[in-house]
Amino acid sequence: MSVRRQNVLLVLVGLLTGLSVSIGHGVFAERESATAAMGLPVEELRTFSDVFGRIKNDYVEDVADSELLENAIRGMLSGLDPHSAYLDQEQFKELQVGTSGEFGGLGIEVGMEDGFVKVIAPIDDTPAERAGIQAGDLIIRLDDTPVKGLTLSEAVKIMRGKPGTILRLTVVREGVEQPLKIDIKRDVIKVKSVKKRMLEDDFGYVRISQFQSKTAESLVDAVEDLRKDAGGSLKGMVLDLRNNPGGVLNGAVAVSDAFLTKGLIVYTEGRVNDSKLRFNATPDDVLDGAPLVVLVNQGSASASEIVSGALQDHKRAIIVGNQTFGKGSVQTILPLSSGTAVKLTTARYFTPSGRSIQAEGIKPDIELDQVRVSALDRTFEPIKEANLSRHLSNGDGEEEAGEKAPGEKAEEKEAESLAQSDYQLYEALNLLKGLAIQREQMR
């Protein structure tokens, strides 16, 4: 290697180790001594500088030093875990926009698994959800580009293209023999994190699709609106966290706090003191102690698992559905002076009872698959006592034999429709009714 090239590489090693370098006879021996004294891996740094020099000398095209070093940084972070990453200026800006609730793309929360893009969950009311993308899908091709060999950042950049353009995803789905080809039109994704509606008999329903900085405020407003619709108080509520991929940690803590009056919500453990945090509940329960059922599935991850784990440990809610995704790590965004940032996994989080969710998830109190049901086609209605001629009256007055009040018919039809469209929610409502009856009896 030429003296000039060796000097350049020594300067590079100096930059990597944070030490100044003077060029001259015996300088490399001095460098080895200095790096060894700091506990730095001398042999590995020499290998790095050798590879850097080989690329600069022998690669088929000239590559800028800045590009090589940026790629080295990306590789260093991507080799740690699926969630650590280097964010260039554009990616850093996109991340900031995404947590505020509006961004461009398909509407999928994704991660990496075995070199492919894995769908953690499609986001509500987005092109991906409408196209039928499901939690657990493995994306193996983006248009004609194989995903294998791409970093997660590179794959996301392809998916986020110009609104109105179409991207074809080739997807491998469990239980389906052949890969699926799904065309999705990109759009500006506006995430409304909280939705609400009233179920029958003064039972409320709130859906959180993603945890943002203002999600807890929206949740409190939604519950207040439902309370007014119910005439002042709710008999119970379903909190739907299915296919919620997570989001802002503080949002999850605040949502948990809305239903808890005391005790630990979540704590984090890491190597540095700043990563060791504890979050506790404050007084006041937005439901005033009314029964709560939380729906989860395999697409419920991260912040969703914090909420369901805290409510489960405090026995404040019954968790219903499927075992959750199992992302129990905390990522910290560390801005750099160049306008870029590092997304680094800095801690694991634990439920109040000390359970680590990482790679385990939350096991529901009641495991319930999302099945499809259909109404039984009855040719004849079953015969009851009231249908018999000359049957005795009940002494309190009665309706005509076999007839039902209009309200009864409407309720029955609504319940039947809910069972067909969302079986898990239907069963959650039945559970709430039972809990509400039990609560009344205990008063």
Side-chain angles (χ1 to χ4, degrees):
M1 185 183 293
S2 67
V3 173
R4 183 178 180 278
R5 175 62 60 195
Q6 186 182 46
N7 289 344
V8 169
L9 294 178
L10 288 174
V11 171
L12 174 62
V13 172
L15 292 172
L16 289 171
T17 57
L19 299 174
S20 61
V21 177
S22 59
I23 306 301
H25 293 293
V27 69
F28 199 79
E30 294 173 11
R31 168 57 45 205
E32 285 188 338
S33 176
T35 53
M38 292 182 64
L40 294 172
V42 177
E43 289 300 323
E44 286 78 5
L45 286 173
R46 181 190 287 122
T47 301
F48 179 89
S49 64
D50 286 344
V51 172
F52 186 92
R54 290 293 185 183
I55 294 172
K56 293 297 292 183
N57 280 328
D58 302 335
Y59 187 64
V60 65
E61 295 177 351
D62 185 45
V63 185
D65 292 350
S66 59
E67 183 178 348
L68 285 175
L69 290 173
E70 185 172 294
N71 288 338
I73 294 170
R74 288 187 189 279
M76 184 164 50
L77 285 158
S78 65
L80 297 174
D81 65 82
H83 308 292
S84 295
Y86 172 74
L87 307 175
D88 60 28
Q89 292 182 357
E90 183 181 351
Q91 292 165 334
F92 187 25
K93 288 178 182 177
E94 286 180 353
L95 179 69
Q96 292 170 310
V97 170
T99 56
S100 68
E102 183 174 327
F103 54 93
L106 305 178
I108 315 174
E109 182 76 15
V110 294
M112 291 295 285
E113 183 175 290
D114 298 328
F116 297 109
V117 174
K118 182 173 184 176
V119 177
I120 296 175
I123 300 171
D124 285 357
D125 297 326
T126 62
E129 188 202 37
R130 291 190 287 270
I133 294 295
Q134 298 180 11
D137 284 349
L138 281 180
I139 301 172
I140 62 172
R141 191 177 289 269
L142 300 166
D143 280 338
D144 295 325
T145 304
V147 170
K148 198 77 170 179
L150 296 178
T151 65
L152 183 59
S153 297
E154 290 169 337
V156 169
K157 190 170 184 178
I158 294 173
M159 288 190 281
R160 284 205 166 176
K162 185 178 179 182
T165 57
I166 293 176
L167 179 68
R168 170 166 287 187
L169 304 185
T170 304
V171 170
V172 173
R173 181 173 295 166
E174 186 176 356
V176 179
E177 291 186 5
Q178 298 295 325
L180 305 172
K181 296 185 183 297
I182 303 175
D183 291 336
I184 307 179
K185 182 183 286 187
R186 297 180 179 94
D187 200 355
V188 174
I189 309 301
K190 297 180 180 179
V191 180
K192 185 178 180 182
S193 66
V194 177
K195 296 179 182 178
K196 69 178 190 307
R197 64 186 171 99
M198 186 66 73
L199 302 173
E200 59 182 87
D201 295 334
D202 297 336
F203 291 99
Y205 169 85
V206 173
R207 160 101 179 127
I208 299 179
S209 59
Q210 193 177 59
F211 287 90
Q212 300 168 1
S213 54
K214 296 184 178 180
T215 295
E217 296 174 27
S218 300
L219 168 73
V220 172
D221 291 342
V223 173
E224 186 58 34
D225 289 343
L226 290 171
R227 195 197 306 275
K228 291 177 182 176
D229 293 342
S233 64
L234 290 168
K235 294 181 180 178
M237 195 183 89
V238 175
L239 178 63
D240 190 351
L241 300 180
R242 291 173 297 179
N243 290 328
N244 181 324
V248 180
L249 173 63
N250 288 338
V253 170
V255 167
S256 303
D257 191 12
F259 302 106
L260 298 172
T261 57
K262 62 180 180 179
L264 187 62
I265 293 174
V266 66
Y267 67 95
T268 62
E269 291 283 354
R271 292 175 60 201
V272 298
N273 289 332
D274 288 347
S275 65
K276 298 175 182 179
L277 303 172
R278 297 176 71 86
F279 299 90
N280 292 287
T282 57
D284 296 330
D285 175 355
V286 70
L287 285 179
D288 295 326
L292 179 65
V293 172
V294 179
L295 285 175
V296 296
N297 65 3
Q298 64 274 15
S300 306
S302 190
S304 298
E305 295 171 298
I306 290 176
V307 174
S308 53
L311 297 179
Q312 186 180 54
D313 279 3
H314 284 286
K315 303 189 186 307
R316 178 61 187 89
I318 295 179
I319 314 301
V320 175
N322 310 108
Q323 190 153 343
T324 60
F325 184 78
K327 182 183 177 295
S329 60
V330 178
Q331 282 68 50
T332 303
I333 306 301
L334 306 172
L336 304 176
S337 59
S338 58
T340 60
V342 170
K343 183 172 74 167
L344 192 65
T345 299
T346 54
R348 292 181 177 87
Y349 62 74
F350 297 82
T351 70
S353 65
R355 290 183 294 162
S356 174
I357 297 166
Q358 178 58 30
E360 288 292 332
I362 296 294
K363 186 177 181 180
D365 299 304
I366 300 175
E367 294 197 42
L368 181 67
D369 288 332
Q370 180 70 296
V371 299
R372 191 179 299 276
V373 299
S374 58
L376 182 65
D377 184 17
R378 296 185 192 173
T379 306
F380 300 101
E381 287 291 327
I383 296 175
K384 302 178 182 179
E385 171 72 16
N387 299 114
L388 301 177
S389 61
R390 298 187 304 278
H391 65 271
L392 292 175
S393 67
N394 61 19
D396 295 326
E398 61 177 330
E399 299 172 11
E400 292 183 21
E403 289 294 317
K404 292 182 179 178
E408 280 186 88
K409 292 180 180 179
E411 280 186 20
E412 195 173 282
K413 187 174 181 181
E414 184 178 339
E416 186 177 278
S417 175
L418 182 61
Q420 292 173 357
S421 63
D422 192 339
Y423 181 70
Q424 287 179 326
L425 179 55
Y426 170 74
E427 290 294 353
L429 176 59
N430 286 336
L431 178 59
L432 268 185
K433 290 177 179 178
L435 292 171
I437 292 171
Q438 183 184 45
R439 188 182 186 219
E440 286 295 321
Q441 291 175 340
M442 294 177 65
R443 285 182 174 178

